[in-house]
Short mmCIF file of all heavy atoms in Angstrom, two decimals:
data_model
loop_
_atom_site.label_atom_id
_atom_site.label_comp_id
_atom_site.label_asym_id
_atom_site.label_seq_id
_atom_site.Cartn_x
_atom_site.Cartn_y
_atom_site.Cartn_z
N LEU A 4 2.14 2.27 -3.38
CA LEU A 4 1.18 2.98 -4.16
C LEU A 4 1.06 4.50 -3.80
O LEU A 4 1.00 5.25 -4.64
CB LEU A 4 -0.22 2.30 -4.09
CG LEU A 4 -1.44 2.96 -4.77
CD1 LEU A 4 -1.08 3.00 -6.19
CD2 LEU A 4 -2.64 2.26 -4.45
N VAL A 5 0.94 4.74 -2.53
CA VAL A 5 0.75 6.06 -2.05
C VAL A 5 1.96 6.86 -2.48
O VAL A 5 1.82 8.04 -2.93
CB VAL A 5 0.66 6.05 -0.44
CG1 VAL A 5 0.69 7.50 0.14
CG2 VAL A 5 -0.67 5.38 -0.10
N LEU A 6 3.24 6.45 -2.35
CA LEU A 6 4.42 7.16 -2.75
C LEU A 6 4.35 7.38 -4.25
O LEU A 6 4.73 8.54 -4.68
CB LEU A 6 5.64 6.38 -2.41
CG LEU A 6 6.99 7.07 -2.63
CD1 LEU A 6 7.12 8.53 -2.06
CD2 LEU A 6 8.12 6.21 -2.12
N ALA A 7 4.04 6.32 -4.99
CA ALA A 7 4.01 6.58 -6.54
C ALA A 7 2.92 7.55 -6.94
O ALA A 7 3.34 8.46 -7.75
CB ALA A 7 3.73 5.18 -7.22
N VAL A 8 1.89 7.57 -6.38
CA VAL A 8 0.86 8.65 -6.70
C VAL A 8 1.17 9.99 -6.24
O VAL A 8 1.05 11.00 -6.95
CB VAL A 8 -0.58 8.24 -6.11
CG1 VAL A 8 -1.54 9.32 -6.33
CG2 VAL A 8 -1.04 6.92 -6.88
N SER A 9 1.82 10.05 -5.09
CA SER A 9 2.39 11.34 -4.47
C SER A 9 3.37 11.96 -5.46
O SER A 9 3.47 13.14 -5.76
CB SER A 9 2.88 11.08 -3.08
OG SER A 9 3.46 12.24 -2.62
N GLU A 10 4.29 11.10 -5.99
CA GLU A 10 5.33 11.57 -6.86
C GLU A 10 4.67 12.09 -8.22
O GLU A 10 5.09 13.16 -8.67
CB GLU A 10 6.30 10.46 -7.08
CG GLU A 10 7.39 10.25 -6.11
CD GLU A 10 8.20 11.36 -5.91
OE1 GLU A 10 8.62 12.12 -6.81
OE2 GLU A 10 8.73 11.59 -4.76
N ALA A 11 3.66 11.37 -8.67
CA ALA A 11 3.01 11.91 -9.91
C ALA A 11 2.37 13.21 -9.71
O ALA A 11 2.39 14.13 -10.53
CB ALA A 11 2.00 10.86 -10.36
N LEU A 12 1.66 13.39 -8.58
CA LEU A 12 1.10 14.61 -8.21
C LEU A 12 2.06 15.76 -8.08
O LEU A 12 1.81 16.86 -8.45
CB LEU A 12 0.19 14.45 -7.00
CG LEU A 12 -1.09 13.74 -7.06
CD1 LEU A 12 -1.73 13.30 -5.73
CD2 LEU A 12 -2.10 14.43 -7.95
N ALA A 13 3.15 15.52 -7.39
CA ALA A 13 4.22 16.40 -7.16
C ALA A 13 4.79 16.91 -8.46
O ALA A 13 5.05 18.07 -8.70
CB ALA A 13 5.22 15.82 -6.36
N ASN A 14 4.97 15.91 -9.44
CA ASN A 14 5.51 16.25 -10.78
C ASN A 14 4.59 17.25 -11.53
O ASN A 14 4.93 18.27 -12.16
CB ASN A 14 5.82 15.13 -11.62
CG ASN A 14 7.22 14.52 -11.16
OD1 ASN A 14 7.90 15.03 -10.45
ND2 ASN A 14 7.41 13.31 -11.78
N ALA A 15 3.32 16.85 -11.53
CA ALA A 15 2.26 17.69 -12.13
C ALA A 15 2.23 19.05 -11.49
O ALA A 15 2.21 20.13 -12.25
CB ALA A 15 0.94 16.99 -12.14
N ALA A 16 2.20 19.21 -10.15
CA ALA A 16 2.13 20.47 -9.44
C ALA A 16 3.32 21.31 -9.74
O ALA A 16 3.24 22.51 -9.96
CB ALA A 16 2.03 20.12 -7.98
N GLU A 17 4.49 20.72 -9.87
CA GLU A 17 5.68 21.45 -10.07
C GLU A 17 5.96 21.92 -11.53
O GLU A 17 6.46 23.01 -11.75
CB GLU A 17 6.83 20.71 -9.55
CG GLU A 17 8.18 21.51 -9.50
CD GLU A 17 9.37 20.79 -8.89
OE1 GLU A 17 9.19 19.78 -8.31
OE2 GLU A 17 10.52 21.39 -9.01
N PHE A 18 5.62 21.00 -12.46
CA PHE A 18 6.10 21.25 -13.81
C PHE A 18 5.02 21.53 -14.79
O PHE A 18 5.25 22.29 -15.84
CB PHE A 18 6.91 20.06 -14.40
CG PHE A 18 8.13 19.88 -13.67
CD1 PHE A 18 8.26 18.82 -12.70
CD2 PHE A 18 9.24 20.68 -13.85
CE1 PHE A 18 9.48 18.64 -12.04
CE2 PHE A 18 10.38 20.39 -13.14
CZ PHE A 18 10.53 19.43 -12.22
N ALA A 19 3.75 21.17 -14.62
CA ALA A 19 2.84 21.41 -15.62
C ALA A 19 2.50 22.87 -15.96
O ALA A 19 2.24 23.11 -17.07
CB ALA A 19 1.45 20.62 -15.24
N TYR A 20 2.47 23.69 -14.88
CA TYR A 20 2.02 24.95 -15.12
C TYR A 20 3.17 26.07 -14.89
O TYR A 20 2.91 27.21 -14.64
CB TYR A 20 0.90 25.31 -14.21
CG TYR A 20 -0.33 24.42 -14.48
CD1 TYR A 20 -0.63 23.34 -13.54
CD2 TYR A 20 -1.04 24.50 -15.58
CE1 TYR A 20 -1.66 22.46 -13.77
CE2 TYR A 20 -2.15 23.59 -15.83
CZ TYR A 20 -2.43 22.57 -15.02
OH TYR A 20 -3.45 21.77 -15.16
N THR A 21 4.40 25.52 -14.81
CA THR A 21 5.56 26.47 -14.72
C THR A 21 5.57 27.45 -15.83
O THR A 21 5.38 27.21 -16.92
CB THR A 21 6.81 25.61 -14.80
OG1 THR A 21 6.80 24.66 -13.76
CG2 THR A 21 8.10 26.45 -14.61
N ASP A 22 5.83 28.70 -15.37
CA ASP A 22 5.97 29.87 -16.36
C ASP A 22 4.72 30.24 -17.06
O ASP A 22 4.72 30.98 -18.03
CB ASP A 22 7.08 29.63 -17.31
CG ASP A 22 8.45 29.45 -16.70
OD1 ASP A 22 8.61 30.01 -15.57
OD2 ASP A 22 9.26 28.72 -17.22
N THR A 23 3.51 29.70 -16.75
CA THR A 23 2.37 30.12 -17.37
C THR A 23 1.69 31.28 -16.70
O THR A 23 0.87 32.05 -17.34
CB THR A 23 1.25 28.99 -17.40
OG1 THR A 23 0.85 28.66 -16.08
CG2 THR A 23 1.82 27.74 -18.03
N GLY A 24 1.87 31.51 -15.48
CA GLY A 24 1.25 32.64 -14.88
C GLY A 24 -0.16 32.25 -14.41
O GLY A 24 -0.87 33.07 -13.69
N ASP A 25 -0.69 31.14 -14.80
CA ASP A 25 -2.05 30.73 -14.56
C ASP A 25 -2.05 29.56 -13.46
O ASP A 25 -1.08 28.78 -13.45
CB ASP A 25 -2.79 30.26 -15.78
CG ASP A 25 -2.96 31.34 -16.80
OD1 ASP A 25 -3.09 32.53 -16.39
OD2 ASP A 25 -2.85 30.97 -17.96
N ARG A 26 -3.05 29.53 -12.71
CA ARG A 26 -3.28 28.40 -11.93
C ARG A 26 -3.70 27.21 -12.70
O ARG A 26 -4.45 27.43 -13.69
CB ARG A 26 -4.23 28.63 -10.80
CG ARG A 26 -3.81 29.72 -9.71
CD ARG A 26 -4.77 29.96 -8.64
NE ARG A 26 -4.22 30.96 -7.82
CZ ARG A 26 -4.86 31.32 -6.72
NH1 ARG A 26 -6.10 30.81 -6.53
NH2 ARG A 26 -4.33 32.14 -5.92
#
Side-chain angles (χ1 to χ4, degrees):
L4 173 66
V5 171
L6 181 54
V8 172
S9 176
E10 282 295 326
L12 288 166
N14 280 353
E17 185 172 356
F18 294 106
Y20 303 104
T21 300
D22 298 331
T23 66
D25 296 326
R26 292 182 179 182

